[in-house]
Structure formats: C-alpha cells, structure tokens
C-alpha cells in the first residue's frame, strides 16, 4: 500500500478542485480501486487539497504585493518625470538624478522584464521636459490637469519603447 500519490493523480485532484467539480468521494473510490485503503486515500486527498489551497493563497498574495509595488513605483516614475519641468529645474544634474531614480523604479515596476522597465522609465523622464516645453511654450499659465496631455503622449512613446525592448530581449513572454 503506497503512502504517496503519483504526479498524475495529484494533477487530477488539483484540476478538479480548480474547476470546482471535485468530488472527494469519487476521488477516494478511484484511489481505493488503485490499491489504497479508505483512510489513507482520504488523508492523501485532503493533504493535496490543503497544499493546493496554500499554493493558491500564496500566489494571490504575491500578485497583490506585486500590484502594490507597481502602483508605488509607477508614482515614483511619474513624479520623477513631472517634477523637473513643473518646478522649472533646468540643470542637467536633476535629469540625471531623475533618470536614475526612474530607472531604478522601472526595474522594480516590471520585474519580469526589467530592461524594458528601465528603458521605458528613462525615456519618459527624458521626453517629458521636451513635450512639456512644447505644449506650454507660448502660455504664461496652465491648469494642472493639462500636464496629463504631454505626460500621456510621452507615456505612449515610452510604452512603445518598452514593447520594442520586450520584443527584443524577452520574445518568449509576449
């Protein structure tokens, strides 16, 4: 009498659980037919279900943490891009610092494609001052909401760079 389930049996139980059509009684009967006694079969099935629930919970928590990290790093990238032009900082030192900050945030923003995240963030920081100057060039004042227009234009261009870099460096993930 075996004390472990085969990979195929575990996979079958997990798939049935995931599809929400797991019948413990049917699985126990299948295991009894395969040579397990009833108590062992029930224990093994319950063990697989507990472990699978734990795996699903951990995956959901990890995804939630990744989403939180992406929100935080997205805000950091946006602030690094917008702060210089809005505060009329003209020195190249600021843009080097902002590029470093945005690049680091971009690295953590796209953990599965870090090079693309860094490039996207740096392109956004470099392009936004140019787009901002072109958009606000002839005006003496502007509404804060109007910052979104050049920002979205730059974000679109930076996103296209991200897709291009992703296609080059990470072709299997797209």
């Amino acid at each position: 009498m075996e004390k472990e389930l085969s990979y195929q049996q575990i996979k079958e139980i997990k798939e049935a659980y995931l599809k929400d059509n797991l019948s413990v009684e049917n699985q126990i009967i299948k295991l009894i037919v395969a040579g397990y006694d009833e108590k062992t079969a029930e224990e093994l099935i319950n063990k697989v279900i507990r472990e699978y629930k734990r795996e699903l919970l951990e995956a959901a928590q990890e995804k939630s943490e990744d989403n939180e990290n992406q929100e935080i790093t997205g805000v950091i990238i946006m602030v690094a891009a917008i702060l210089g032009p809005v505060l009329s900082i003209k020195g190249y030192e600021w843009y080097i610092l902002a590029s470093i900050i945005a690049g680091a945030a971009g690295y953590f923003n796209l953990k599965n494609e870090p090079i693309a995240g860094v490039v996207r963030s740096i392109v956004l920081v470099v392009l936004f001052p140019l787009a901002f100057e072109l958009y606000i060039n002839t005006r003496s004042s502007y509404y804060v909401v109007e910052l979104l227009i050049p920002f979205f234009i730059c974000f679109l261009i930076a996103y296209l760079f991200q897709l291009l870099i992703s296609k080059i460096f990470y072709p299997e993930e797209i």
Side-chain angles (χ1 to χ4, degrees), residues 15 24 30 33 82 95 98 101 151-152 154:
E15 286 176 358
V24 176
K30 285 181 184 179
V33 169
I82 291 177
Y95 293 104
I101 291 169
F151 183 79
F152 282 130
C154 292

Side-chain angles (χ1 to χ4, degrees), residues 106-124:
Y107 179 85
F108 292 108
N109 189 277
L110 288 177
K111 286 184 181 179
N112 57 342
E113 298 175 351
I115 296 171
V118 169
V119 169
R120 178 195 65 193
S121 302
I122 291 174
V123 166
L124 186 63

Side-chain angles (χ1 to χ4, degrees), residues 14 30-33 43 51 54 57 60-61 65 67 76 83 86 120 129 132 140 143 147 164-167 170:
K14 286 181 178 181
K30 285 181 184 179
L31 292 180
I32 290 173
V33 169
E43 288 174 3
E51 288 177 5
R54 184 181 46 77
L57 180 64
Q61 288 174 338
E65 289 174 7
N67 288 342
I76 291 171
L83 203 58
V86 170
R120 178 195 65 193
F132 180 79
S140 59
Y143 295 107
L147 287 175
L164 178 67
I165 297 298
S166 295
K167 194 78 160 167
Y170 311 102

